[in-house]
Amino acid sequence: MNNVKLSDIKVLIDEESIQKRIKEIANELNTIYKEEEVCVICVLKGAVMFATDLVRNLTMPLTMEFIRLSSYGSSTVSSGKVNAVEIKLPDLNNKNVIIIEDIVDTGLTAKFLLDFIAANFHTKSTKFVTLLDKKISRKTDIEPDYYCFDIDDKFVVGYGLDYNDLFRNLRFIGYADKSLLG
Ligand code: IMP
């Protein structure tokens, strides 16, 4: 049951701060890759807002792929098992790959994806970029190459992130009191 209302959500990171930080990360990536082509892989659904804003600030030639993984279902705690809901990728051999995620929490999703890419392709380079890094929940030794913000032990929503598939459309990243979350 969804008992969280929009009015229960407090702002953690506002729209202006998100957009400012995305430009900083994009500038770093632009400096690294220069004119080299990259393939950007957006992990649906949560990373969609971040990925589309990030790529609009990237200047190298790039292609975009979208894959869908899930580990949460309708809970606020990772099930500990990653499901590949849809993972169809082109030939990434010899390509520069940038994986774009919404949040690295336990790190299981990131590990699953990095292992999948390493097992199937010899990429030229693979980088993992995430909007949020929740280091406190980590259960793997995965560290993103870039993150926009690190956050403490809160379940966050907005700007692509959901609770029961809701609140992805918020322009900011927010949180509700734990007592309201099922
Ligand atoms: P991990 O595999 O535990 O690192 O979790 C990664 C996925 O869990 C993310 O891509 C999100 O979809 C989801 N997730 C983790 N923490 C949160 C949160 O605070 N709010 C919303 N979704 C989350």
Side-chain angles (χ1 to χ4, degrees):
M1 215 174 71
N2 188 51
N3 47 0
V4 184
K5 298 187 293 297
L6 187 53
S7 54
D8 296 323
I9 297 173
K10 299 171 186 134
V11 177
L12 183 67
I13 306 167
D14 65 21
E15 183 180 2
E16 199 188 335
S17 308
I18 296 170
Q19 295 303 329
K20 181 170 172 271
R21 184 73 183 120
I22 286 175
K23 288 196 173 75
E24 288 172 5
I25 299 281
N27 286 342
E28 286 191 49
L29 294 170
N30 288 335
T31 307
I32 292 172
Y33 293 101
K34 299 191 171 68
E35 292 303 310
E36 275 195 65
E37 186 171 318
V38 304
C39 176
V40 167
I41 301 176
C42 167
V43 185
L44 295 173
K45 302 175 193 174
V48 68
M49 309 296 180
F50 176 43
T52 54
D53 279 343
L54 183 68
V55 295
R56 277 179 282 188
N57 286 283
L58 295 177
T59 51
M60 72 291 273
L62 65 83
T63 57
M64 287 185 84
E65 297 296 330
F66 297 84
I67 63 172
R68 204 164 152 204
L69 304 176
S70 114
S71 62
Y72 269 54
S74 61
S75 163
T76 59
V77 182
S78 171
S79 66
K81 196 170 153 282
V82 179
N83 295 314
V85 181
E86 189 181 333
I87 187 161
K88 273 191 232 134
L89 289 168
D91 182 0
L92 298 175
N93 287 309
N94 242 352
K95 297 264 170 70
N96 294 305
V97 172
I98 303 179
I99 300 167
I100 306 191
E101 246 297 33
D102 53 356
I103 183 166
V104 179
D105 184 24
T106 62
L108 288 167
T109 306
K111 184 170 165 35
F112 173 90
L113 206 42
L114 288 166
D115 287 351
F116 179 88
I117 302 272
N120 289 282
F121 307 105
H122 290 289
T123 63
K124 187 170 180 188
S125 67
T126 306
K127 291 214 185 291
F128 200 98
V129 181
T130 182
L131 174 67
L132 300 173
D133 191 356
K134 211 194 280 183
K135 289 189 197 303
I136 197 156
S137 315
R138 203 71 100 251
K139 292 194 178 133
T140 61
D141 56 2
I142 292 289
E143 289 303 329
D145 296 291
Y146 296 93
Y147 62 87
C148 290
F149 305 97
D150 57 354
I151 60 166
D152 59 17
D153 189 19
K154 284 185 171 62
F155 189 82
V156 290
V157 295
Y159 195 64
L161 291 119
D162 75 302
Y163 174 60
N164 286 347
D165 243 350
L166 290 166
F167 306 119
R168 294 190 197 276
N169 56 318
L170 303 183
R171 302 178 78 98
F172 61 89
I173 296 164
Y175 68 99
D177 281 342
K178 280 213 164 134
S179 59
L180 294 173
L181 303 169

